[in-house]
Amino acid sequence: MSETDGGARAARLIRNESTTEIPVHLLFRDDPDPVAVPLRPAVVTKAQVERATTKTPNRPAPARTPRRPAPSVDPDLEERSCRALPGALGVFGGAVGAAGAAAAVGWAGALPRIMTDLAGIDGYAGAGFGPAQWAALAGSGALALFGVGGLARGRTGGAWVLTRFGRYRGSVRRAGLLWLNPLLVRRRVDLRLRHWRSEPMPAVDTNGEALRVVVLVAWRIKDTARATLGTEDHETYLRECVEAGLARVLSRLPAVVGDRDAPVLRNAEALGDLLTRRLAEDAAPVGIEVFSAQPTRIEYEPEVAAAMRRRRIAALDARRRDTVLTSVVDSVEDTVTRLTARGLVDLDDYERKLLVKDLTVAFYTGRGE
């Protein structure tokens, strides 16, 4: 059948190694009135959806950067208030117990002669220590010890952390004379705002230069239960967090760079803010509130400081030489231009070179001195 039969056209195909079979008449259509093909919505089968959503076993999943685990303590360990009675009740109980013990001893007739004379008891021999006398003496003594033993002095800016048999029972933040259960173990905690200045701690910048840094930290205890029971020693924990946070922060920034817009360790405000955020995140789980962590001194190690000093002096000397040389060249150019423009001298190329050379040496020598 020929190409003109029935208006049909043979399908010409483009074939090569990198493409599939593409009908040429779809690329170069020369029909005057192409037949409009209605568009239909694509029908997606269930198998296609499953293939698209199923992970290919041969393709490994993208590796994720492991996040640093945040420090944590017992989630049930949280500060709560403990009941504390006024200290006057403990004093009253101790006085009543002491009076009862004295009465029991007097009942048994064991008071000294001088005490009976003062009490106005003449010729009283006493009933002796029987079960009743011993019970009265024991009860009065226990009341006196219980009343006096529970007295505690609460200070402004301090708190008591109370435990019994290793279990946390509560905290008391009241000030003044208080009465606490004497069967509870007490731990005094300082709630005042405190400053801690570190010793020179070793660190390195992003270029590996050895540094010594002194940090001033302003902090206080926010949760007495976590600060006391959540860690063995909260002050030691804070010092270790400062050293670890300092190593992480300083290792990301260089001490000195050539670009003035780049962040460096000289920017104390930005460095302090970054260190404060890091330290606050690490100290918050143990009940410590960090307000500021500011490096007060950043210096190189002695062996590195000498090399950096020589490098800085060389850079300053090179900068000074470049400035002086630029100024000398401008002065020589201006002098030669004025001499020739005013017609004071008529120089050829050789004489001009000699004049420029002599003026450059003279001006440079004078500027150098």
Side-chain angles (χ1 to χ4, degrees):
M1 182 172 52
S2 63
E3 295 181 358
T4 59
D5 293 341
R9 179 181 301 174
R12 293 174 295 171
L13 302 178
I14 299 177
R15 297 182 180 180
N16 55 25
E17 297 179 356
S18 60
T19 61
T20 58
E21 297 180 357
I22 303 177
V24 177
H25 71 278
L26 294 180
L27 299 178
F28 308 98
R29 299 190 62 174
D30 51 359
D31 295 337
D33 296 326
V35 180
V37 180
L39 299 178
R40 297 179 180 179
V43 179
V44 181
T45 62
K46 184 177 180 181
Q48 293 176 347
V49 174
E50 293 179 354
R51 286 196 300 268
T53 56
T54 305
K55 294 184 179 179
T56 306
N58 297 330
R59 180 179 299 177
R64 296 183 179 180
T65 303
R67 298 182 60 184
R68 181 174 57 89
S72 61
V73 296
D74 187 0
D76 297 334
L77 185 61
E78 187 175 358
E79 179 181 347
R80 58 179 180 269
S81 179
C82 184
R83 180 178 299 179
L85 300 178
L89 296 179
V91 174
F92 178 76
V96 171
V105 173
W107 182 17
L111 288 177
R113 181 66 181 176
I114 187 173
M115 297 297 295
T116 57
D117 293 341
L118 291 176
I121 303 175
D122 296 332
Y124 179 72
F129 282 99
Q133 288 77 13
W134 282 114
L137 182 61
S140 301
L143 179 61
L145 293 177
F146 201 76
V148 176
L151 293 176
R153 184 180 62 175
R155 298 179 180 178
T156 302
W160 291 102
V161 177
L162 307 179
T163 58
R164 181 171 60 189
F165 303 118
R167 184 180 180 183
Y168 175 65
R169 305 302 300 175
S171 300
V172 178
R173 290 178 176 251
R174 294 174 53 184
L177 185 61
L178 307 173
W179 186 87
L180 305 176
N181 189 347
L183 301 179
L184 300 178
V185 179
R186 312 171 192 173
R187 297 185 183 181
R188 186 183 294 273
V189 181
D190 191 356
L191 302 179
R192 295 172 295 180
L193 180 64
R194 286 185 280 177
H195 288 79
W196 175 71
R197 183 184 297 272
S198 69
E199 298 294 333
M201 295 185 295
V204 294
D205 65 349
T206 188
N207 297 325
E209 302 292 347
L211 304 172
R212 291 192 304 180
V213 186
V214 178
V215 184
L216 181 63
V217 183
W219 63 283
R220 72 176 179 184
I221 293 179
K222 185 177 181 181
D223 192 310
T224 57
R226 293 189 174 186
T228 307
L229 305 177
T231 180
E232 184 177 1
D233 186 359
H234 60 273
E235 295 185 1
T236 303
Y237 179 84
L238 180 63
R239 288 194 294 267
E240 298 296 337
C241 287
V242 170
E243 186 173 358
L246 193 65
R248 293 199 306 267
V249 172
L250 265 66
S251 61
R252 298 173 53 185
L253 300 175
V256 178
V257 294
D259 189 4
R260 296 182 179 179
D261 297 334
V264 294
L265 297 181
R266 292 179 180 178
N267 191 348
E269 183 177 358
L271 179 61
D273 293 342
L274 183 58
L275 183 59
T276 301
R277 289 196 300 268
R278 292 281 188 179
L279 188 58
E281 293 176 0
D282 293 342
V286 296
I288 297 178
E289 186 176 9
V290 178
F291 296 95
S292 173
Q294 186 68 33
T296 59
R297 187 175 63 188
I298 301 178
E299 59 184 10
Y300 289 103
E301 290 288 349
E303 59 274 9
V304 180
M308 295 301 296
R309 190 179 298 108
R310 291 192 298 267
R311 185 186 305 176
R312 190 178 300 109
I313 292 175
L316 292 175
D317 186 64
R319 188 181 307 171
R320 175 180 173 275
R321 288 177 181 272
D322 182 67
T323 303
V324 171
L325 183 59
T326 302
S327 177
V328 167
V329 170
D330 293 340
S331 300
V332 170
E333 182 182 5
D334 183 63
T335 302
V336 174
T337 302
R338 289 186 177 184
L339 289 175
T340 55
R342 295 181 182 182
L344 299 178
V345 293
D346 187 9
L347 304 174
D348 55 9
D349 293 341
Y350 179 74
E351 292 175 346
R352 181 184 294 273
K353 292 180 181 180
L354 290 179
L355 180 60
V356 170
K357 178 181 178 181
D358 295 339
L359 290 176
T360 302
V361 174
F363 288 170
Y364 193 84
T365 304
R367 296 292 177 85
E369 295 178 356

